[in-house]
């Protein structure tokens, strides 16, 4: 595997997953889950349990406490969860350390940036205004922007098109298997964010990402740009 740092040509674009890659949204997702647990008389789920599942959407989180009830009441439970989450979507969510200087360095190097998330558009639009540092993103593609979502490559290819860049000259950074699958399917260089939501039952080595990073700023080492 050739290190991108040995390539004098910078990538044209860097695309990022949102939850577990740019933002730690687990605290507010977990709070929404426990709000539903309280509503239905269930014991709260501990942070250590829900955090690794935070990128698996409402169903993945609800399954932690309502595995049996989901079979018959999924729509009701999902609505309760989404209502609770929407009401407090950015209370404790925060940008991962290193993300802002990473973005600033990429922009200064004239590398275009985009977000490609499976989060629904409504929730994404409710969340992002709390983070004005993300105004640098020229494209935001959500889970329901198209009729398909990751691991399908179409959302990534749409983001590359909106940026006006060649997908083969792009990097996609994410913390889930579907992110790596989508990036590979789009012929992009894939980078696994090991600091994100990866559970003990996951096998990230099997996902075959091109690179892995333990902090956001390590991406600059891969690209060949100096860390600030």
């Amino acid at each position: 595997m050739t290190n991108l740092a040995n390539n004098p040509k910078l990538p044209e674009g860097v695309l990022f997953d949102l939850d577990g890659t740019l933002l730690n949204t687990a605290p507010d997702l977990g709070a929404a889950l426990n709000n539903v647990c309280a509503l239905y008389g269930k014991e709260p789920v501990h942070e250590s349990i829900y955090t690794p599942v935070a990128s698996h959407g409402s169903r993945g989180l609800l399954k932690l406490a309502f595995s049996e009830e989901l079979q018959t009441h999924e729509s009701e439970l999902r609505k309760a969860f989404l209502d609770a989450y929407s009401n407090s979507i950015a209370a404790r969510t925060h940008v991962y350390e290193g993300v802002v200087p990473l973005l600033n360095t990429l922009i200064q190097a004239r590398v275009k940036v985009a977000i490609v998330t499976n989060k629904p558009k409504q929730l994404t639009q409710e969340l992002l205004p709390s983070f004005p540092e993300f105004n640098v993103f020229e494209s935001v593609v959500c889970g329901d922007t198209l009729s398909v979502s990751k691991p399908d490559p179409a959302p990534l290819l749409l983001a590359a098109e909106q940026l006006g860049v060649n997908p083969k000259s792009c990097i996609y950074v994410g913390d889930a298997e579907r992110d790596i699958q989508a990036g590979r399917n789009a012929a992009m260089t894939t980078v696994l964010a090991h600091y994100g939501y990866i559970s003990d039952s996951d096998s990230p080595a099997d996902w075959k990402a091109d690179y892995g990073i333990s902090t956001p700023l390590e991406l600059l080492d891969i690209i060949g740009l100096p860390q600030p």
Side-chain angles (χ1 to χ4, degrees):
M1 178 166 35
T2 302
N3 194 307
L4 291 183
N6 297 326
N7 185 345
K9 184 179 179 182
L10 292 174
E12 294 180 34
V14 178
L15 286 58
F16 296 89
D17 177 44
L18 184 59
D19 299 57
T21 302
L22 294 171
L23 290 177
N24 182 6
T25 54
D28 289 322
L29 288 165
L33 170 63
N34 284 331
N35 185 295
V36 180
C37 287
L39 192 64
Y40 287 87
K42 293 271 190 176
E43 289 294 318
V45 179
H46 192 270
E47 180 181 8
S48 62
I49 302 297
Y50 65 67
T51 296
V53 187
S55 65
H56 291 252
S58 58
R59 194 176 200 282
L61 286 161
L62 286 167
K63 194 175 180 180
L64 296 174
F66 298 93
S67 56
E68 295 182 6
E69 292 87 345
L70 277 175
Q71 299 176 29
T72 54
H73 295 83
E74 181 171 355
S75 178
E76 174 187 334
L77 289 166
R78 185 172 185 273
K79 183 181 184 306
F81 174 85
L82 293 177
D83 286 347
Y85 182 50
S86 179
N87 287 338
S88 189
I89 199 168
R92 291 197 293 149
T93 290
H94 58 273
V95 182
Y96 283 108
E97 183 179 356
V99 164
V100 173
L102 166 62
L103 294 175
N104 289 340
T105 302
L106 292 173
I107 297 302
Q108 289 169 7
R110 299 188 177 181
V111 177
K112 296 187 175 183
V113 292
I115 293 172
V116 183
T117 175
N118 274 5
K119 206 178 196 75
K121 181 178 180 180
Q122 179 181 338
L123 293 176
T124 303
Q125 290 180 335
E126 291 175 5
L127 177 61
L128 290 185
S130 296
F131 301 94
E133 53 268 69
F134 287 176
N135 290 339
V136 297
F137 289 105
E138 298 181 41
S139 169
V140 178
V141 179
C142 303
D144 51 2
T145 299
L146 301 174
S147 60
V148 293
S149 58
K150 298 177 296 183
D152 194 287
L156 279 69
L157 296 173
L158 174 61
E161 179 183 345
Q162 292 177 346
L163 292 179
V165 298
N166 183 347
K168 293 182 179 180
S169 184
C170 288
I171 294 173
Y172 186 61
V173 187
D175 67 306
E177 182 177 16
R178 63 178 169 272
D179 296 324
I180 305 308
Q181 291 172 334
R184 292 175 64 193
N185 292 337
M188 296 182 181
T189 299
T190 56
V191 177
L192 179 62
H194 286 282
Y195 58 84
Y197 307 136
I198 299 176
S199 70
D200 292 338
S201 62
D202 287 327
S203 302
D206 295 337
W207 303 347
K208 295 181 169 55
D210 295 308
Y211 300 94
I213 55 175
S214 299
T215 67
L217 283 174
E218 287 181 13
L219 181 64
L220 296 176
D221 299 333
I222 294 171
I223 294 174
L225 290 170
Q227 291 197 22

